[in-house]
Structures are given as structure tokens and as C-alpha cells.
């Protein structure tokens, strides 16, 4: 097995199972944060579509051909 890069030297003192558990928790928090950001981005996109569609309907009602 290859040696770890130098910035991982401080982790060598901990048991591997503990490091793996910590990385799992951190990775799951990152994924959870990305899911929350995606959720709010979709809400914002939905709001923009509703406002834009409503504005288009009002404009079309006020400017008939």
C-alpha cells in the first residue's frame, strides 16, 4: 500500500476505523448541504417561473392584438 500524502500524517495516530467514520460523517453532511441547496434553488426557480408567467399573462391581457 502506498504511503499517505504528508497532509495525512496527523491522521496516522488515529485508528483507521475512526478516520473512516469521521470522513463518512463529513461526506454525509456535505451531501446533505448540497441537497438543501438544490432544494432551495428549485424553489427559487419555481417562484421565478410563476412570477414570469404571471407577468406574461398580465402583459398579454393588457396588450391584445
Amino acid at each position: 500500500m502506498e504511503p499517505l500524502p504528508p497532509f495525512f500524517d496527523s491522521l496516522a495516530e488515529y485508528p483507521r476505523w475512526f478516520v473512516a467514520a469521521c470522513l463518512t460523517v463529513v461526506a454525509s453532511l456535505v451531501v446533505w448541504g448540497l441537497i438543501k441547496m438544490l432544494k432551495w434553488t428549485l424553489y427559487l426557480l419555481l417562484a421565478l417561473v410563476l412570477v414570469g408567467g404571471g407577468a406574461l399573462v398580465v402583459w398579454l391581457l393588457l396588450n391584445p392584438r
Side-chain angles (χ1 to χ4, degrees):
M1 193 156 112
E2 296 180 22
L4 292 173
F7 55 87
F8 284 120
D9 285 343
S10 62
L11 297 176
E13 298 175 16
Y14 296 101
R16 288 186 178 201
W17 65 265
F18 183 73
V19 174
C22 289
L23 290 176
T24 301
V25 169
V26 169
S28 64
L29 289 175
V30 168
V31 169
W32 179 78
L34 290 172
I35 289 170
K36 287 290 187 181
M37 284 193 319
L38 177 62
K39 176 183 159 185
W40 287 107
T41 302
L42 290 173
Y43 283 151
L44 177 62
L45 183 60
L46 177 63
L48 290 174
V49 166
L50 290 173
V51 168
L56 178 62
V57 167
V58 169
W59 185 80
L60 290 172
L61 286 172
L62 295 176
N63 296 307
R65 288 187 179 214

Short mmCIF file of all heavy atoms in Angstrom, two decimals:
data_model
loop_
_atom_site.label_atom_id
_atom_site.label_comp_id
_atom_site.label_asym_id
_atom_site.label_seq_id
_atom_site.Cartn_x
_atom_site.Cartn_y
_atom_site.Cartn_z
N MET A 1 0.84 -1.17 0.00
CA MET A 1 0.00 0.00 0.00
C MET A 1 0.89 1.24 0.00
O MET A 1 1.89 1.30 0.69
CB MET A 1 -0.89 -0.03 1.26
CG MET A 1 -1.99 0.96 1.22
SD MET A 1 -3.32 0.45 2.30
CE MET A 1 -3.21 1.69 3.54
N GLU A 2 0.51 2.22 -0.78
CA GLU A 2 1.30 3.45 -0.89
C GLU A 2 1.21 4.27 0.39
O GLU A 2 0.18 4.26 1.06
CB GLU A 2 0.79 4.30 -2.06
CG GLU A 2 0.96 3.65 -3.40
CD GLU A 2 0.44 4.54 -4.52
OE1 GLU A 2 0.34 5.76 -4.32
OE2 GLU A 2 0.12 4.01 -5.58
N PRO A 3 2.27 4.99 0.71
CA PRO A 3 2.20 5.86 1.88
C PRO A 3 1.25 7.03 1.63
O PRO A 3 1.03 7.44 0.50
CB PRO A 3 3.64 6.34 2.07
CG PRO A 3 4.28 6.17 0.74
CD PRO A 3 3.59 5.02 0.07
N LEU A 4 0.70 7.54 2.71
CA LEU A 4 -0.23 8.67 2.60
C LEU A 4 0.51 9.95 2.28
O LEU A 4 1.68 10.10 2.63
CB LEU A 4 -1.00 8.84 3.91
CG LEU A 4 -1.98 7.74 4.28
CD1 LEU A 4 -2.52 7.98 5.69
CD2 LEU A 4 -3.12 7.68 3.30
N PRO A 5 -0.15 10.91 1.62
CA PRO A 5 0.47 12.22 1.40
C PRO A 5 0.79 12.88 2.75
O PRO A 5 0.20 12.54 3.77
CB PRO A 5 -0.61 13.01 0.66
CG PRO A 5 -1.50 11.99 0.05
CD PRO A 5 -1.45 10.81 0.96
N PRO A 6 1.73 13.82 2.75
CA PRO A 6 2.17 14.43 4.02
C PRO A 6 1.06 15.07 4.84
O PRO A 6 1.12 15.06 6.07
CB PRO A 6 3.17 15.49 3.57
CG PRO A 6 3.60 15.10 2.21
CD PRO A 6 2.48 14.32 1.62
N PHE A 7 0.02 15.63 4.19
CA PHE A 7 -1.02 16.29 4.99
C PHE A 7 -1.89 15.29 5.74
O PHE A 7 -2.70 15.66 6.56
CB PHE A 7 -1.86 17.24 4.14
CG PHE A 7 -2.49 16.61 2.92
CD1 PHE A 7 -3.70 15.98 3.00
CD2 PHE A 7 -1.84 16.69 1.69
CE1 PHE A 7 -4.28 15.41 1.88
CE2 PHE A 7 -2.42 16.13 0.57
CZ PHE A 7 -3.64 15.48 0.66
N PHE A 8 -1.74 13.99 5.46
CA PHE A 8 -2.47 12.97 6.20
C PHE A 8 -1.65 12.39 7.35
O PHE A 8 -2.13 11.51 8.07
CB PHE A 8 -2.89 11.82 5.27
CG PHE A 8 -4.05 12.14 4.39
CD1 PHE A 8 -3.92 12.08 3.00
CD2 PHE A 8 -5.27 12.49 4.92
CE1 PHE A 8 -4.99 12.37 2.19
CE2 PHE A 8 -6.34 12.79 4.10
CZ PHE A 8 -6.21 12.72 2.74
N ASP A 9 -0.43 12.87 7.56
CA ASP A 9 0.42 12.34 8.63
C ASP A 9 -0.23 12.49 9.99
O ASP A 9 -0.07 11.63 10.86
CB ASP A 9 1.78 13.02 8.63
CG ASP A 9 2.68 12.52 7.49
OD1 ASP A 9 2.36 11.46 6.92
OD2 ASP A 9 3.66 13.22 7.17
N SER A 10 -0.95 13.58 10.22
CA SER A 10 -1.57 13.78 11.52
C SER A 10 -2.68 12.76 11.78
O SER A 10 -3.01 12.48 12.93
CB SER A 10 -2.13 15.20 11.63
OG SER A 10 -3.13 15.39 10.65
N LEU A 11 -3.25 12.19 10.73
CA LEU A 11 -4.29 11.19 10.90
C LEU A 11 -3.73 9.80 11.20
O LEU A 11 -4.47 8.92 11.62
CB LEU A 11 -5.16 11.11 9.64
CG LEU A 11 -5.95 12.36 9.28
CD1 LEU A 11 -6.67 12.16 7.96
CD2 LEU A 11 -6.92 12.72 10.38
N ALA A 12 -2.44 9.62 11.00
CA ALA A 12 -1.83 8.31 11.20
C ALA A 12 -1.90 7.86 12.66
O ALA A 12 -1.83 6.66 12.94
CB ALA A 12 -0.39 8.32 10.72
N GLU A 13 -2.03 8.78 13.59
CA GLU A 13 -2.08 8.43 15.01
C GLU A 13 -3.44 7.87 15.42
O GLU A 13 -3.57 7.25 16.46
CB GLU A 13 -1.76 9.65 15.86
CG GLU A 13 -0.36 10.19 15.60
CD GLU A 13 -0.10 11.48 16.36
OE1 GLU A 13 -0.86 11.78 17.30
OE2 GLU A 13 0.86 12.17 16.00
N TYR A 14 -4.47 8.11 14.62
CA TYR A 14 -5.82 7.64 14.96
C TYR A 14 -6.07 6.28 14.32
O TYR A 14 -5.50 5.94 13.28
CB TYR A 14 -6.87 8.63 14.45
CG TYR A 14 -6.78 9.98 15.11
CD1 TYR A 14 -6.18 11.05 14.45
CD2 TYR A 14 -7.30 10.18 16.37
CE1 TYR A 14 -6.10 12.30 15.05
CE2 TYR A 14 -7.23 11.42 16.99
CZ TYR A 14 -6.62 12.47 16.33
OH TYR A 14 -6.54 13.69 16.92
N PRO A 15 -6.96 5.48 14.92
CA PRO A 15 -7.32 4.20 14.29
C PRO A 15 -8.02 4.45 12.95
O PRO A 15 -8.73 5.44 12.78
CB PRO A 15 -8.31 3.57 15.29
CG PRO A 15 -8.21 4.35 16.54
CD PRO A 15 -7.63 5.68 16.21
N ARG A 16 -7.81 3.54 12.02
CA ARG A 16 -8.39 3.72 10.68
C ARG A 16 -9.91 3.75 10.71
O ARG A 16 -10.53 4.47 9.95
CB ARG A 16 -7.90 2.61 9.74
CG ARG A 16 -6.47 2.78 9.36
CD ARG A 16 -6.07 1.76 8.34
NE ARG A 16 -4.68 2.00 7.98
CZ ARG A 16 -4.14 1.58 6.86
NH1 ARG A 16 -4.86 0.90 6.01
NH2 ARG A 16 -2.89 1.84 6.60
N TRP A 17 -10.52 2.97 11.59
CA TRP A 17 -11.98 2.94 11.67
C TRP A 17 -12.51 4.30 12.10
O TRP A 17 -13.57 4.72 11.63
CB TRP A 17 -12.48 1.83 12.60
CG TRP A 17 -12.10 2.02 14.04
CD1 TRP A 17 -11.03 1.50 14.67
CD2 TRP A 17 -12.80 2.81 15.01
NE1 TRP A 17 -11.00 1.90 15.98
CE2 TRP A 17 -12.08 2.71 16.22
CE3 TRP A 17 -13.95 3.58 14.99
CZ2 TRP A 17 -12.49 3.36 17.38
CZ3 TRP A 17 -14.36 4.22 16.15
CH2 TRP A 17 -13.63 4.11 17.33
N PHE A 18 -11.78 4.99 13.00
CA PHE A 18 -12.21 6.30 13.46
C PHE A 18 -12.11 7.34 12.36
O PHE A 18 -13.01 8.16 12.17
CB PHE A 18 -11.37 6.72 14.67
CG PHE A 18 -11.78 8.04 15.27
CD1 PHE A 18 -12.95 8.14 16.00
CD2 PHE A 18 -11.00 9.17 15.09
CE1 PHE A 18 -13.34 9.35 16.55
CE2 PHE A 18 -11.37 10.38 15.63
CZ PHE A 18 -12.55 10.47 16.36
N VAL A 19 -11.03 7.29 11.60
CA VAL A 19 -10.85 8.21 10.47
C VAL A 19 -11.93 7.96 9.42
O VAL A 19 -12.54 8.91 8.90
CB VAL A 19 -9.44 8.07 9.87
CG1 VAL A 19 -9.30 8.91 8.60
CG2 VAL A 19 -8.37 8.44 10.88
N ALA A 20 -12.21 6.70 9.14
CA ALA A 20 -13.25 6.37 8.16
C ALA A 20 -14.62 6.84 8.65
O ALA A 20 -15.43 7.36 7.86
CB ALA A 20 -13.27 4.86 7.90
N ALA A 21 -14.90 6.68 9.94
CA ALA A 21 -16.18 7.13 10.49
C ALA A 21 -16.31 8.65 10.39
O ALA A 21 -17.36 9.17 10.02
CB ALA A 21 -16.32 6.68 11.94
N CYS A 22 -15.25 9.37 10.71
CA CYS A 22 -15.28 10.83 10.63
C CYS A 22 -15.46 11.30 9.18
O CYS A 22 -16.23 12.22 8.91
CB CYS A 22 -14.01 11.43 11.22
SG CYS A 22 -13.92 11.27 13.01
N LEU A 23 -14.75 10.67 8.26
CA LEU A 23 -14.90 11.03 6.85
C LEU A 23 -16.31 10.72 6.34
O LEU A 23 -16.85 11.48 5.54
CB LEU A 23 -13.86 10.30 6.00
CG LEU A 23 -12.42 10.78 6.19
CD1 LEU A 23 -11.46 9.92 5.37
CD2 LEU A 23 -12.27 12.24 5.81
N THR A 24 -16.91 9.64 6.83
CA THR A 24 -18.27 9.31 6.45
C THR A 24 -19.25 10.37 6.94
O THR A 24 -20.14 10.80 6.20
CB THR A 24 -18.66 7.93 7.03
OG1 THR A 24 -17.76 6.95 6.53
CG2 THR A 24 -20.08 7.56 6.66
N VAL A 25 -19.07 10.82 8.18
CA VAL A 25 -19.94 11.86 8.73
C VAL A 25 -19.77 13.16 7.95
O VAL A 25 -20.76 13.82 7.58
CB VAL A 25 -19.66 12.07 10.23
CG1 VAL A 25 -20.35 13.32 10.75
CG2 VAL A 25 -20.07 10.85 11.03
N VAL A 26 -18.53 13.54 7.66
CA VAL A 26 -18.29 14.78 6.92
C VAL A 26 -18.87 14.69 5.51
O VAL A 26 -19.51 15.63 5.04
CB VAL A 26 -16.77 15.09 6.88
CG1 VAL A 26 -16.47 16.21 5.91
CG2 VAL A 26 -16.28 15.45 8.28
N ALA A 27 -18.66 13.56 4.84
CA ALA A 27 -19.19 13.40 3.49
C ALA A 27 -20.72 13.44 3.49
O ALA A 27 -21.33 14.04 2.60
CB ALA A 27 -18.70 12.09 2.88
N SER A 28 -21.35 12.83 4.49
CA SER A 28 -22.80 12.85 4.55
C SER A 28 -23.32 14.27 4.81
O SER A 28 -24.35 14.66 4.27
CB SER A 28 -23.33 11.88 5.60
OG SER A 28 -22.92 12.29 6.89
N LEU A 29 -22.61 15.05 5.62
CA LEU A 29 -23.01 16.44 5.85
C LEU A 29 -22.86 17.28 4.58
O LEU A 29 -23.69 18.15 4.31
CB LEU A 29 -22.19 17.05 6.99
CG LEU A 29 -22.53 16.52 8.38
CD1 LEU A 29 -21.56 17.10 9.42
CD2 LEU A 29 -23.96 16.82 8.77
N VAL A 30 -21.82 17.02 3.81
CA VAL A 30 -21.64 17.74 2.54
C VAL A 30 -22.77 17.41 1.58
O VAL A 30 -23.36 18.29 0.94
CB VAL A 30 -20.26 17.42 1.93
CG1 VAL A 30 -20.17 17.90 0.49
CG2 VAL A 30 -19.15 18.03 2.77
N VAL A 31 -23.11 16.12 1.47
CA VAL A 31 -24.20 15.71 0.59
C VAL A 31 -25.52 16.32 1.06
O VAL A 31 -26.32 16.81 0.25
CB VAL A 31 -24.30 14.17 0.52
CG1 VAL A 31 -25.58 13.72 -0.17
CG2 VAL A 31 -23.08 13.61 -0.19
N TRP A 32 -25.77 16.32 2.38
CA TRP A 32 -26.98 16.92 2.93
C TRP A 32 -27.05 18.41 2.59
O TRP A 32 -28.10 18.91 2.21
CB TRP A 32 -27.01 16.70 4.44
CG TRP A 32 -28.20 17.30 5.11
CD1 TRP A 32 -29.47 16.80 5.14
CD2 TRP A 32 -28.23 18.52 5.84
NE1 TRP A 32 -30.28 17.63 5.86
CE2 TRP A 32 -29.54 18.71 6.31
CE3 TRP A 32 -27.27 19.47 6.16
CZ2 TRP A 32 -29.92 19.80 7.07
CZ3 TRP A 32 -27.64 20.57 6.92
CH2 TRP A 32 -28.95 20.72 7.36
N GLY A 33 -25.93 19.10 2.71
CA GLY A 33 -25.89 20.52 2.37
C GLY A 33 -26.17 20.76 0.90
O GLY A 33 -26.89 21.70 0.54
N LEU A 34 -25.62 19.92 0.04
CA LEU A 34 -25.89 20.04 -1.40
C LEU A 34 -27.36 19.80 -1.71
O LEU A 34 -27.95 20.48 -2.55
CB LEU A 34 -25.00 19.08 -2.19
CG LEU A 34 -23.52 19.42 -2.22
CD1 LEU A 34 -22.73 18.28 -2.88
CD2 LEU A 34 -23.27 20.72 -2.94
N ILE A 35 -27.96 18.83 -1.02
CA ILE A 35 -29.38 18.57 -1.23
C ILE A 35 -30.21 19.77 -0.81
O ILE A 35 -31.16 20.17 -1.50
CB ILE A 35 -29.80 17.30 -0.45
CG1 ILE A 35 -29.21 16.06 -1.10
CG2 ILE A 35 -31.32 17.18 -0.35
CD1 ILE A 35 -29.37 14.79 -0.29
N LYS A 36 -29.87 20.38 0.33
CA LYS A 36 -30.60 21.57 0.79
C LYS A 36 -30.45 22.72 -0.21
O LYS A 36 -31.42 23.42 -0.51
CB LYS A 36 -30.10 22.02 2.16
CG LYS A 36 -30.53 21.13 3.28
CD LYS A 36 -32.01 21.28 3.50
CE LYS A 36 -32.45 20.53 4.72
NZ LYS A 36 -33.88 20.63 4.95
N MET A 37 -29.24 22.92 -0.72
CA MET A 37 -29.03 23.99 -1.69
C MET A 37 -29.82 23.73 -2.96
O MET A 37 -30.42 24.64 -3.53
CB MET A 37 -27.54 24.15 -2.02
CG MET A 37 -26.75 24.83 -0.94
SD MET A 37 -25.10 25.35 -1.42
CE MET A 37 -24.48 24.01 -2.38
N LEU A 38 -29.85 22.48 -3.41
CA LEU A 38 -30.61 22.13 -4.62
C LEU A 38 -32.10 22.36 -4.38
O LEU A 38 -32.80 22.89 -5.25
CB LEU A 38 -30.35 20.68 -5.01
CG LEU A 38 -31.13 20.15 -6.21
CD1 LEU A 38 -30.77 20.93 -7.47
CD2 LEU A 38 -30.87 18.68 -6.41
N LYS A 39 -32.58 21.97 -3.20
CA LYS A 39 -33.99 22.15 -2.88
C LYS A 39 -34.36 23.63 -2.95
O LYS A 39 -35.36 23.99 -3.59
CB LYS A 39 -34.26 21.60 -1.50
CG LYS A 39 -35.66 21.81 -0.99
CD LYS A 39 -35.77 21.28 0.43
CE LYS A 39 -36.93 21.88 1.16
NZ LYS A 39 -36.98 21.47 2.56
N TRP A 40 -33.58 24.50 -2.33
CA TRP A 40 -33.91 25.92 -2.32
C TRP A 40 -33.71 26.55 -3.69
O TRP A 40 -34.41 27.48 -4.06
CB TRP A 40 -33.13 26.65 -1.23
CG TRP A 40 -33.69 26.31 0.11
CD1 TRP A 40 -33.14 25.51 1.05
CD2 TRP A 40 -34.97 26.71 0.62
NE1 TRP A 40 -33.97 25.40 2.13
CE2 TRP A 40 -35.10 26.12 1.89
CE3 TRP A 40 -36.00 27.49 0.14
CZ2 TRP A 40 -36.23 26.31 2.68
CZ3 TRP A 40 -37.13 27.67 0.93
CH2 TRP A 40 -37.23 27.09 2.17
N THR A 41 -32.78 26.02 -4.47
CA THR A 41 -32.60 26.50 -5.83
C THR A 41 -33.82 26.17 -6.68
O THR A 41 -34.29 26.98 -7.47
CB THR A 41 -31.33 25.89 -6.46
OG1 THR A 41 -30.21 26.24 -5.65
CG2 THR A 41 -31.12 26.36 -7.87
N LEU A 42 -34.36 24.97 -6.48
CA LEU A 42 -35.57 24.58 -7.22
C LEU A 42 -36.77 25.42 -6.79
O LEU A 42 -37.61 25.79 -7.62
CB LEU A 42 -35.85 23.09 -7.03
CG LEU A 42 -34.87 22.16 -7.74
CD1 LEU A 42 -35.15 20.72 -7.35
CD2 LEU A 42 -34.91 22.34 -9.23
N TYR A 43 -36.88 25.72 -5.49
CA TYR A 43 -37.95 26.61 -5.03
C TYR A 43 -37.83 27.99 -5.66
O TYR A 43 -38.82 28.58 -6.08
CB TYR A 43 -37.94 26.74 -3.51
CG TYR A 43 -38.52 25.55 -2.77
CD1 TYR A 43 -38.07 25.24 -1.49
CD2 TYR A 43 -39.51 24.76 -3.32
CE1 TYR A 43 -38.59 24.17 -0.78
CE2 TYR A 43 -40.04 23.69 -2.62
CZ TYR A 43 -39.58 23.39 -1.36
OH TYR A 43 -40.10 22.35 -0.67
N LEU A 44 -36.61 28.51 -5.72
CA LEU A 44 -36.39 29.81 -6.33
C LEU A 44 -36.73 29.78 -7.82
O LEU A 44 -37.38 30.69 -8.33
CB LEU A 44 -34.94 30.25 -6.12
CG LEU A 44 -34.53 31.57 -6.76
CD1 LEU A 44 -35.33 32.72 -6.15
CD2 LEU A 44 -33.05 31.81 -6.59
N LEU A 45 -36.33 28.73 -8.50
CA LEU A 45 -36.64 28.59 -9.92
C LEU A 45 -38.15 28.51 -10.15
O LEU A 45 -38.69 29.15 -11.06
CB LEU A 45 -35.95 27.35 -10.49
CG LEU A 45 -36.11 27.09 -11.98
CD1 LEU A 45 -35.56 28.25 -12.79
CD2 LEU A 45 -35.43 25.79 -12.36
N LEU A 46 -38.86 27.76 -9.30
CA LEU A 46 -40.30 27.68 -9.40
C LEU A 46 -40.94 29.06 -9.19
O LEU A 46 -41.85 29.45 -9.94
CB LEU A 46 -40.86 26.69 -8.38
CG LEU A 46 -42.38 26.55 -8.31
CD1 LEU A 46 -42.93 26.03 -9.63
CD2 LEU A 46 -42.77 25.65 -7.16
N ALA A 47 -40.47 29.80 -8.21
CA ALA A 47 -41.01 31.14 -7.96
C ALA A 47 -40.76 32.05 -9.15
O ALA A 47 -41.64 32.82 -9.55
CB ALA A 47 -40.38 31.72 -6.70
N LEU A 48 -39.56 31.98 -9.74
CA LEU A 48 -39.27 32.80 -10.92
C LEU A 48 -40.17 32.45 -12.09
O LEU A 48 -40.63 33.34 -12.82
CB LEU A 48 -37.80 32.67 -11.30
CG LEU A 48 -36.79 33.30 -10.34
CD1 LEU A 48 -35.36 32.96 -10.77
CD2 LEU A 48 -36.98 34.79 -10.28
N VAL A 49 -40.42 31.17 -12.29
CA VAL A 49 -41.31 30.74 -13.38
C VAL A 49 -42.72 31.26 -13.14
O VAL A 49 -43.39 31.77 -14.06
CB VAL A 49 -41.29 29.21 -13.52
CG1 VAL A 49 -42.44 28.72 -14.41
CG2 VAL A 49 -39.96 28.74 -14.08
N LEU A 50 -43.21 31.16 -11.90
CA LEU A 50 -44.56 31.63 -11.59
C LEU A 50 -44.67 33.15 -11.76
O LEU A 50 -45.65 33.64 -12.34
CB LEU A 50 -44.95 31.22 -10.18
CG LEU A 50 -45.19 29.72 -9.98
CD1 LEU A 50 -45.41 29.42 -8.50
CD2 LEU A 50 -46.35 29.24 -10.81
N VAL A 51 -43.69 33.89 -11.28
CA VAL A 51 -43.72 35.35 -11.42
C VAL A 51 -43.60 35.74 -12.89
O VAL A 51 -44.34 36.60 -13.38
CB VAL A 51 -42.61 36.01 -10.57
CG1 VAL A 51 -42.44 37.47 -10.91
CG2 VAL A 51 -42.92 35.83 -9.09
N GLY A 52 -42.68 35.12 -13.60
CA GLY A 52 -42.51 35.43 -15.03
C GLY A 52 -43.74 35.07 -15.84
O GLY A 52 -44.18 35.83 -16.71
N GLY A 53 -44.34 33.91 -15.57
CA GLY A 53 -45.56 33.51 -16.27
C GLY A 53 -46.71 34.42 -15.95
O GLY A 53 -47.49 34.79 -16.83
N GLY A 54 -46.83 34.80 -14.68
CA GLY A 54 -47.90 35.73 -14.30
C GLY A 54 -47.72 37.07 -14.95
O GLY A 54 -48.69 37.68 -15.43
N ALA A 55 -46.50 37.57 -15.02
CA ALA A 55 -46.23 38.86 -15.68
C ALA A 55 -46.55 38.77 -17.17
O ALA A 55 -47.10 39.72 -17.75
CB ALA A 55 -44.78 39.26 -15.46
N LEU A 56 -46.23 37.64 -17.79
CA LEU A 56 -46.53 37.47 -19.21
C LEU A 56 -48.03 37.46 -19.45
O LEU A 56 -48.53 38.09 -20.40
CB LEU A 56 -45.90 36.17 -19.72
CG LEU A 56 -46.16 35.83 -21.19
CD1 LEU A 56 -45.58 36.91 -22.10
CD2 LEU A 56 -45.62 34.46 -21.53
N VAL A 57 -48.78 36.78 -18.58
CA VAL A 57 -50.24 36.74 -18.72
C VAL A 57 -50.83 38.14 -18.58
O VAL A 57 -51.68 38.56 -19.38
CB VAL A 57 -50.85 35.77 -17.68
CG1 VAL A 57 -52.36 35.94 -17.59
CG2 VAL A 57 -50.49 34.33 -18.03
N VAL A 58 -50.37 38.89 -17.58
CA VAL A 58 -50.87 40.25 -17.39
C VAL A 58 -50.53 41.11 -18.60
O VAL A 58 -51.37 41.87 -19.10
CB VAL A 58 -50.30 40.87 -16.09
CG1 VAL A 58 -50.58 42.35 -16.01
CG2 VAL A 58 -50.87 40.14 -14.88
N TRP A 59 -49.32 41.02 -19.11
CA TRP A 59 -48.91 41.80 -20.27
C TRP A 59 -49.76 41.45 -21.49
O TRP A 59 -50.18 42.33 -22.25
CB TRP A 59 -47.43 41.58 -20.55
CG TRP A 59 -46.91 42.45 -21.67
CD1 TRP A 59 -46.56 43.75 -21.58
CD2 TRP A 59 -46.72 42.06 -23.03
NE1 TRP A 59 -46.15 44.20 -22.81
CE2 TRP A 59 -46.24 43.18 -23.71
CE3 TRP A 59 -46.90 40.87 -23.72
CZ2 TRP A 59 -45.94 43.15 -25.07
CZ3 TRP A 59 -46.60 40.83 -25.07
CH2 TRP A 59 -46.12 41.97 -25.74
N LEU A 60 -50.01 40.16 -21.70
CA LEU A 60 -50.83 39.73 -22.83
C LEU A 60 -52.28 40.19 -22.69
O LEU A 60 -52.94 40.49 -23.68
CB LEU A 60 -50.77 38.22 -23.01
CG LEU A 60 -49.43 37.65 -23.51
CD1 LEU A 60 -49.43 36.14 -23.46
CD2 LEU A 60 -49.12 38.16 -24.90
N LEU A 61 -52.79 40.23 -21.46
CA LEU A 61 -54.16 40.72 -21.25
C LEU A 61 -54.26 42.21 -21.49
O LEU A 61 -55.29 42.70 -21.98
CB LEU A 61 -54.63 40.39 -19.82
CG LEU A 61 -54.96 38.93 -19.56
CD1 LEU A 61 -55.21 38.72 -18.06
CD2 LEU A 61 -56.18 38.52 -20.36
N LEU A 62 -53.24 42.96 -21.16
CA LEU A 62 -53.28 44.41 -21.30
C LEU A 62 -52.89 44.87 -22.70
O LEU A 62 -53.14 46.02 -23.06
CB LEU A 62 -52.36 45.07 -20.27
CG LEU A 62 -52.75 44.88 -18.81
CD1 LEU A 62 -51.72 45.49 -17.88
CD2 LEU A 62 -54.13 45.47 -18.55
N ASN A 63 -52.27 44.02 -23.49
CA ASN A 63 -51.83 44.39 -24.83
C ASN A 63 -52.38 43.40 -25.87
O ASN A 63 -51.62 42.63 -26.47
CB ASN A 63 -50.30 44.41 -24.91
CG ASN A 63 -49.69 45.46 -24.03
OD1 ASN A 63 -50.06 46.62 -24.09
ND2 ASN A 63 -48.76 45.05 -23.17
N PRO A 64 -53.69 43.38 -26.08
CA PRO A 64 -54.23 42.44 -27.07
C PRO A 64 -53.89 42.89 -28.50
O PRO A 64 -53.70 44.06 -28.75
CB PRO A 64 -55.75 42.50 -26.84
CG PRO A 64 -55.98 43.84 -26.24
CD PRO A 64 -54.73 44.18 -25.47
N ARG A 65 -53.86 41.95 -29.40
CA ARG A 65 -53.56 42.28 -30.80
C ARG A 65 -54.83 42.46 -31.58
O ARG A 65 -55.79 41.88 -31.51
CB ARG A 65 -52.70 41.21 -31.43
CG ARG A 65 -51.31 41.25 -30.90
CD ARG A 65 -50.45 40.29 -31.67
NE ARG A 65 -49.10 40.37 -31.13
CZ ARG A 65 -48.03 40.24 -31.83
NH1 ARG A 65 -48.10 39.98 -33.10
NH2 ARG A 65 -46.86 40.33 -31.28
#
